[in-house]
Amino acid sequence: MNILANLDFTTAIKYLVPSLIDGLWIVIQTTLFGFILAIILGLFMAIGRISKIKIIRGTLVVFLEFIRGTPLLVQLVYMYYVVPLLISIIVQIWNPGYQFKISPVVAGTLGLGINYGCYISEVIRSSMLSIDGGQTEAALALGLTHNQVLVRIIIPQALRNVVPVFGNYLVMMLKDTSLLAYVSVNEMLLRTQSYASQSFLTIESYTLLAVFYLILSLPLSQAVKLIEKKMQKFS
């Protein structure tokens, strides 16, 4: 009971909330750019997975299995700490002394984009394969090339069908940005950990953090549900 009696949300709100607001923009930035990257990578990987070139398909299968078989946190740490070292070692063959560096925000954004891109690629690929093959045959009969059929007919329909799924992944990515604290991105979780360790207002600090994520994710989740209903009307 003494702990509850000593709760001081007023102080936590006064000093932590402004910091959380600053961290909020980092969360939005990494989510937005990470999601755009995920969609772009997902689309290209989906196209590669249905390619007739075996080496492309095989390489992508290995890469996808690696990403889906390892935790996102491990991938983020690898992107921030290991990848720069590997690049430096390779470049030093021609340029001794070269040191490649990557900022925490860039590493986090790339990590999120690559991870979610692999999952999104499978969604897009499945959607592309579900398109009626008769449309492709008809388009080819009219003189379109395979690439034109892919760009003008298959991809637009596939992307339209998976828009609701994209929304769910966006909400998931928003919440997964909290993992970026472990690669030194000064987002909301890292700011909360720092404030809680200095002020000892542990309950207050992490409660406010949870509220901030709820304020972000709940409206976004409702927007996704609304989009799903709209898409159902046109399907």
Side-chain angles (χ1 to χ4, degrees):
M1 294 299 295
N2 290 333
I3 295 177
L4 294 178
N6 292 327
L7 290 179
D8 188 3
F9 276 96
T10 301
T11 300
I13 292 173
K14 181 179 179 181
Y15 293 104
L16 178 58
V17 167
S19 181
L20 288 178
I21 292 175
D22 291 337
L24 172 64
W25 297 114
I26 298 177
V27 169
I28 294 174
Q29 174 185 333
T30 52
T31 302
L32 177 62
F33 288 106
F35 194 67
I36 292 174
L37 177 61
I39 292 177
I40 294 173
L41 291 177
L43 178 59
F44 279 103
M45 285 190 284
I47 295 173
R49 289 278 279 116
I50 63 174
S51 170
K52 295 181 180 180
I53 304 175
K54 291 184 178 181
I55 189 171
I56 294 179
R57 295 202 311 270
T59 302
L60 286 174
V61 167
V62 172
F63 181 73
L64 288 169
E65 290 301 320
F66 174 79
I67 295 298
R68 291 186 298 180
T70 54
L72 173 57
L73 179 57
V74 173
Q75 295 167 22
L76 291 171
V77 172
Y78 196 91
M79 178 65 70
Y80 182 56
Y81 292 105
V82 179
V83 170
L85 291 176
L86 294 176
I87 294 176
S88 297
I89 291 172
I90 294 172
V91 176
Q92 284 177 7
I93 297 175
W94 300 277
N95 185 12
Y98 176 82
Q99 294 292 329
F100 180 80
K101 296 181 180 180
I102 186 171
S103 72
V105 172
V106 172
T109 302
L110 289 174
L112 288 172
I114 293 172
N115 179 273
Y116 276 83
C118 289
Y119 289 97
I120 287 176
S121 71
E122 290 301 289
V123 175
I124 297 176
R125 184 178 71 91
S126 298
S127 182
M128 293 171 68
L129 294 176
S130 69
I131 304 298
D132 184 9
Q135 297 185 41
T136 300
E137 295 175 2
L140 292 173
L142 291 173
L144 272 68
T145 65
H146 284 281
N147 288 337
Q148 288 174 329
V149 172
L150 185 66
V151 173
R152 297 183 183 182
I153 298 176
I154 303 299
I155 292 178
Q157 292 186 72
L159 291 179
R160 185 189 65 186
N161 293 337
V162 298
V163 165
V165 182
F166 282 177
N168 292 326
Y169 276 120
L170 178 60
V171 175
M172 292 169 58
M173 182 181 287
L174 174 68
K175 291 183 284 189
D176 277 343
T177 56
S178 60
L179 296 175
L180 301 184
Y182 294 94
V183 290
S184 303
V185 176
N186 197 21
E187 44 69 74
M188 294 194 296
L189 176 58
L190 189 61
R191 292 168 183 264
T192 302
Q193 290 175 331
S194 176
Y195 179 77
S197 64
Q198 295 174 9
S199 65
F200 301 103
L201 300 177
T202 304
I203 295 176
E204 299 90 331
S205 299
Y206 288 103
T207 300
L208 288 175
L209 175 65
V211 170
F212 261 72
Y213 272 108
L214 282 173
I215 292 174
L216 283 173
S217 61
L218 287 180
L220 189 57
S221 299
Q222 293 302 314
V224 170
K225 293 179 181 178
L226 180 62
I227 292 173
E228 289 179 353
K229 292 181 180 179
K230 293 290 183 180
M231 297 299 294
Q232 288 174 357
K233 293 181 180 179
F234 293 102
S235 59

